[in-house]
Every structure is written in structure tokens, then in C-alpha cells.
Amino acid sequence: MTPIQRILAITAIASLMSGEITVAQTFSSSGSQPGQSSGRRIPVRSYQSGPNRVLAEAPGEQPGEVTSIEIRNEAGELVDSELDEDEYFLGAAPMPIKIGQPMPGSTQARTASSPTVQFDDERYLSSPEMVPSGAGAPIGMDSTEYEYEYEQEYYEDGYQGTSPSYGSDCESCDDGSCDGCASRPARHLSHIDARAERIARVLANPLVGFWARAEYMHWKIDGQQVPALVTTSPTGTDRDDAGILGVGNTSILYGNDELGDDDRPGGRFEIGRYFLGESGLGISASFLFADDEDQRFSADSVSYGILGRPFVDVSPTGVGNNSELIAFPNEFTGNVDVTSSTKFSAGDVLLRGILICEPDRQLEGFVGYTYYQLDDDIAIHDFKRVIGGSSGLAVGTTLDETDRFQVDNDFHGAAIGMRSQTCFGGWSLASTLKLGLGVTSSNLNISGATTATVPVAGGTDTSTRNSGLLVQDTNSGSSDFDEFAIAPELGVSLSRRMNRDWSLSAGYQLVYISRVMRAGEQIDPLLNLSQLDAGGLAGTARPQRDDFFTDLTAQAITFGLLREF
């Protein structure tokens, strides 16, 4: 006897002794007198779930033939009904039951030519022995009478229940089931209680029903729009025109474009399990990500004689487009750096249910929780040293400025969706649609810093303030926002089953989030210079916080590997 057979046998005996098996089959000896026999009761089970069916032989009337059919519910109570055409009795070859046919186990049945009357284990009719009853108490039996209680379920083609890990292959696939006919039928072993069999299968293979998927994803994600951040002008440009947008030959070195929209690699991991039995239910969890997109731009006075940071002057005496010079011949030397980063990830936990599972197609529904995370960060840093006296600053003065814009977006919501799959040969085509409904929580943090070092007699004088160029008191600080959002997700994949357990796939993934904040779009290029004067702000308070929301689209080409247990 193999280890699995031992497990099945031990588990079945334990079920018998515990009284879990409730449908009884009693054979009385042929020596009982007419009118005294208790009759024979044979369990009958439908192809579909439903009440137990019991055949009854009335004592003294047409002995050895079926005279009536009792239909009982789970409590053992009689139910008024009729036996349908698709319901069968227990036997080696399940066949329809009819009134007047031989009772299984009768002499007439055993000698008849019809396969409907063959009983598959003769030892129940010929070997008196002592066995436990359904209540767990031992029963003594002599050579003329014995009782044996058990439950047996037979289904079409010898299968019952569903499981993602064992059973027959889909007819339309080569040598393995279609990916996700997430329920392959489980072969039901003869004379073993279904519950005991499921326990034995789990003990023999604890991973039964599990699946794991890993995918490489090549992402294309919307970038963040920023205004012009760094400009230059040809050497020889007048100081009053240098670096100013729209004046002379000023050109943009960085900005006025989308940052972080380059292709990037990523991945997705998913694990799940379908519960054994006939529920068709399962649970899964997945996590996907894209590599952080980091960009950096640097320029200095060695490479560019003129460097500027453009803005729009809206002070009462403002001139419109203007520029703060970082480098200018014989006036300033310096450098400027712009760094940006974008992080994107998502995940979900889903309860799944099989709606349709046929050899060549499957439909699955799911509900659960989903989240998306999108974080942006932009920092603009410049340093300059005064080397000439025409600017009004002491020679040797240094200015170090930083503007920083940070946004963290977290979407949390309920998810609902469906997954369909069609099999053809060893190939399968699957599509998934998931809709997330929830709230995007956004945190916006804007900060700035300036450090000025001025040479004085005997040393230097250093001062700092919590503002830069595009970050002033009018827009600095941290704020939180909650916005209702929808997050649909669409996936399509083509899979090839390599063997019973492994599949390869290629596909396309689309993610959309209706409400997010992007760091670059919180930059206000309008600046009221009056707030830097000793007299304080006069006129419009700019830059200001616009708290601007937009949407996000992320797309990926996927290549995956699936392992089913």
C-alpha cells in the first residue's frame, strides 16, 4: 500500500468512527421471513448537489425490485419529490434508477445483464464481520445479518469538486489544463468519503491549489510637467537680457517639458490559492512596481558663460519675464542642479470566485482591496559667487539656494472585476478588467532655503532664511488632500502551457488613476519680489499654492511565468 493509500484509508476509518458519515446502506440476509424483513435502503446521489435519494424495497412485495424512491433532506426528513432523469444510484457503473428494476445487490440484480445492477464490491455481501456503526458504537453481527454504514458520492465521469491542482486535462489543451481553469476537476476515489479524501490530499500535498506568477514589466508612465527651470544666452548678451525667456537668443536648458516619462523596467508578483471542494472560491494577493525614475541635470559657468533661473516678476514695479543670474562673465561664477524622481507601485488582495469553468473557457469574478502609490520629488539647487562689483553685492559673497517640491499620493479603494480566459490547443487568451473605487490621499510639501555668506572685516557674516527663489512664504508649507478617484485597470495576455505545471505569457497592462498630484505642476513661476524688501509684500502674493490635480496613465508590456501546484 502506498503512503497516499494509507492516508486515505486511515482518514476514511476515522470518518466512520466519528459518525460524520450519515447515509446508510443496510443489507438484510436472504433468510429473513416475508413481512419481517426491514427492506434494503440504497443511497442515491444526484449529479448536482441536492437531497439524498434512497431506494426502498417494500417487504413481501415484488422482492428484489425497486418499489419506491424516498427523497430525504440533510436532516433525514422525507421530502415530497420525484427522481429526475439525471440522478443515479450507487454502483460500479452509475445508471438511471427506475421503479421496478432490480435492487442493487439482489440475486436478480447480480444475474441480470443490465450494468445498472452490478455492485462493485462483493465483500459487502459475502463477508460477515464486526464494523463500527454511523454513531461510532460497535455492532456485533452473526453469519446471517450485518450492517455497514458509509457515504459515497459519484459524479459524472468519476469526478467531483473542483481544484486548481489535479484532475483531468482540458480537452482543448495539449497535456495540461488551461491556465486558470482554475478549477481542474478532482478525481474522486472509490469507497472514500469526499471529506476524508480532501483532507488526505491536503496532507499529501500541502501546496495543492496554490499558484504563483512572476512578470517582467516594461513601463511607460506619464511624467510631471514643469515650467522652464534653467536658461542660457550666448556670450556677449547684455546683462539686462541674459537668461530671460522671449528675449534675444535665450534658450531653455532644462524644463518646459515632462520629467520622468522615460521607459523603465518593473515587475509584478502574484500568489493565490483556490480552496478545495466545490465552492469555486479562492484568494490572491499581488504587488507590482516600476523602477524609480531618477533624473539629474547639472550645468556650471565653465560649460555655459551665462546661466539663469527664469521667473515672471509680478511685483508692483515688475517687468514681467525676468531671470536670476547664476553665471555671467566677470560678474558671477556658479552652478545649478535639478534632480527629480518618481516612484510608482500598486497591489491588491482579492477574493475570487469561478463563475464558469468549461474545458475551453473560464469566467472568474473577484472583489477585494486595491491600492496605488505615486510619489514625486523635484529639487532645484544653485550656488553662485560674486566676482564683480556691478551687481551691488560685495565681491566674494556666496549665495546657496534650494527649492524643493514633494508629493506623495496613496490611493486606497475597493476593487471589483472579472477575468475571462479562452483556451485553444496549448494556448490561452486571457483578459482582466478591474475597477477601483476609493480615495486618493495626497501630501504636498513645499520648502526652500537660502544661505548667504558675506565677507566682513575679520571674517564672514552668514545668514539663512526658509525660502529660495520659487519657494517663498506665500507658498511654502505642507498640506494634505483627500479626493475621490476611480482606478480602472485592464490586462490582456496570451499564454502557452509548457507542461502541466508551467506556463509562459506575454501581454499588455493599462492602469489609470483619475486624481493625483504631481510635484512639477505645483511650481508657480510667478514671483512678487517686493516680499524680499524690508518693507514686506506689496501687491499680489506670488508664488502661491495652486494645489493642482491631474490624472495618471501607466502602460506596460509584460512577460510572465506561471507555476501551478
Side-chain angles (χ1 to χ4, degrees):
M1 180 179 292
T2 64
I4 184 59
Q5 289 173 329
R6 292 192 188 97
I7 293 174
L8 292 172
I10 292 171
T11 311
I13 293 172
S15 298
L16 286 170
M17 298 183 68
S18 66
E20 294 178 352
I21 299 175
T22 58
V23 181
Q25 175 173 340
T26 303
F27 293 93
S28 297
S29 68
S30 59
S32 300
Q33 298 299 320
Q36 296 177 349
S37 172
S38 60
R40 280 172 287 194
R41 300 164 67 80
I42 308 298
V44 177
R45 180 68 68 180
S46 169
Y47 271 27
Q48 294 77 31
S49 60
N52 296 331
R53 268 66 173 173
V54 178
L55 307 184
E57 175 189 25
E61 296 180 19
Q62 299 174 318
E65 293 185 355
V66 177
T67 57
S68 66
I69 299 172
E70 296 175 3
I71 303 178
R72 298 179 180 268
N73 59 22
E74 294 181 357
E77 300 168 341
L78 286 171
V79 177
D80 292 332
S81 183
E82 295 182 1
L83 191 67
D84 296 331
E85 292 181 357
D86 61 349
E87 292 168 341
Y88 296 71
F89 77 94
L90 174 64
M95 296 291 287
I97 285 293
K98 296 181 181 179
I99 299 295
Q101 77 174 44
M103 285 287 287
S106 68
T107 302
Q108 180 184 0
R110 291 195 296 273
T111 59
S113 60
S114 170
T116 66
V117 298
Q118 301 300 317
F119 200 71
D120 67 337
D121 200 333
E122 199 68 24
R123 62 192 175 94
Y124 294 128
L125 301 175
S126 60
S127 301
E129 56 183 321
M130 181 177 290
V131 297
S133 70
I139 309 171
M141 286 166 285
D142 56 25
S143 60
T144 60
E145 181 178 56
Y146 66 94
E147 177 176 80
Y148 186 83
E149 296 195 1
Y150 68 98
E151 181 179 65
Q152 179 76 41
E153 295 181 353
Y154 271 85
Y155 289 76
E156 186 172 12
D157 296 329
Y159 296 100
Q160 70 92 27
T162 58
S163 162
S165 62
Y166 49 83
S168 67
D169 300 332
C170 292
E171 294 177 359
S172 61
C173 296
D174 292 342
D175 59 352
S177 300
C178 300
D179 169 23
C181 248
S183 310
R184 307 175 195 165
R187 186 176 297 277
H188 188 68
L189 302 180
S190 174
H191 303 308
I192 299 298
D193 173 68
R195 293 163 296 181
E197 182 183 337
R198 285 195 291 269
I199 294 173
R201 288 186 184 276
V202 172
L203 293 176
N205 183 7
L207 292 179
V208 63
F210 277 96
W211 79 87
R213 188 192 310 270
E215 292 180 325
Y216 168 80
M217 309 185 79
H218 189 77
W219 285 101
K220 179 71 172 180
I221 301 176
D222 286 349
Q224 47 184 323
Q225 189 71 39
V226 297
L229 300 177
V230 181
T231 56
T232 187
S233 297
T235 301
T237 301
D238 186 79
R239 186 180 184 281
D240 292 336
D241 296 333
I244 298 177
L245 292 172
V247 176
N249 294 320
T250 297
S251 59
I252 298 173
L253 292 179
Y254 196 71
N256 196 35
D257 198 0
E258 284 191 358
L259 304 184
D261 61 344
D262 295 337
D263 293 359
R264 68 186 82 175
R268 179 176 181 267
F269 301 96
E270 179 185 68
I271 58 173
R273 182 178 188 179
Y274 266 90
F275 306 124
L276 300 184
E278 303 175 47
S279 66
L281 296 178
I283 190 170
S284 68
S286 70
F287 173 75
L288 65 82
F289 67 94
D291 277 4
D292 297 349
E293 178 66 17
D294 298 320
Q295 293 184 345
R296 180 173 181 176
F297 169 82
S298 297
D300 57 34
S301 53
V302 175
S303 301
Y304 300 92
I306 297 176
L307 286 173
R309 291 188 57 189
F311 62 92
V312 179
D313 185 359
V314 294
S315 59
T317 58
V319 294
N321 284 333
N322 207 337
S323 175
E324 180 185 51
L325 292 176
I326 305 302
F328 192 81
N330 302 319
E331 288 290 336
F332 306 108
T333 59
N335 58 74
V336 60
D337 297 289
V338 183
T339 59
S340 65
S341 67
T342 299
K343 300 179 181 180
F344 177 74
S345 62
D348 59 38
V349 177
L350 303 173
L351 177 66
R352 316 174 81 102
I354 297 295
L355 304 178
I356 299 175
C357 188
E358 297 179 354
D360 59 351
R361 67 188 184 103
Q362 179 200 7
L363 182 64
E364 177 186 28
F366 53 79
V367 296
Y369 161 79
T370 186
Y371 87 92
Y372 297 91
Q373 181 178 16
L374 176 69
D375 299 338
D376 286 335
D377 189 350
I378 294 180
I380 310 154
H381 172 260
D382 67 77
F383 174 85
K384 66 181 176 182
R385 182 183 299 274
V386 179
I387 60 173
S390 62
S391 65
L393 299 174
V395 174
T397 297
T398 62
L399 293 173
D400 191 306
E401 285 182 327
T402 300
D403 295 327
R404 190 171 187 181
F405 301 82
Q406 296 172 285
V407 174
D408 296 335
N409 298 280
D410 294 292
F411 173 90
H412 299 273
I416 184 172
M418 303 187 78
R419 180 180 185 273
S420 66
Q421 180 169 279
T422 301
C423 301
F424 42 94
W427 297 87
S428 62
L429 180 64
S431 61
T432 302
L433 178 61
K434 183 177 75 173
L435 176 63
L437 299 173
V439 173
T440 299
S441 297
S442 303
N443 173 260
L444 170 62
N445 186 52
I446 301 177
S447 60
T450 299
T451 300
T453 301
V454 181
V456 296
T460 58
D461 179 29
T462 301
S463 62
T464 60
R465 57 187 173 90
N466 295 324
S467 60
L469 176 66
L470 300 178
V471 177
Q472 300 294 328
D473 292 340
T474 53
N475 68 336
S476 64
S478 179
S479 299
D480 294 315
F481 307 89
D482 291 322
E483 292 280 324
F484 173 78
I486 61 173
E489 185 174 330
L490 173 66
V492 179
S493 65
L494 179 65
S495 299
R496 171 65 181 178
R497 181 166 289 280
M498 309 307 296
N499 55 42
R500 183 169 187 81
D501 299 324
W502 293 94
S503 299
L504 296 175
S505 66
Y508 169 79
Q509 191 87 6
L510 172 66
V511 176
Y512 176 81
I513 307 175
S514 64
R515 299 288 283 175
V516 295
M517 298 184 79
R518 307 304 303 268
E521 294 167 13
Q522 312 308 315
I523 299 175
D524 183 4
L526 305 184
L527 177 60
N528 188 335
L529 295 174
S530 66
Q531 60 192 306
L532 303 178
D533 298 335
L537 178 66
T540 304
R542 299 301 289 257
Q544 68 178 12
R545 301 172 66 97
D546 291 326
D547 303 331
F548 182 76
F549 280 84
T550 185
D551 57 4
L552 174 77
T553 301
Q555 306 175 71
I557 301 298
T558 66
F559 301 92
L561 180 65
L562 172 68
R563 171 69 161 94
E564 295 173 282
F565 295 88

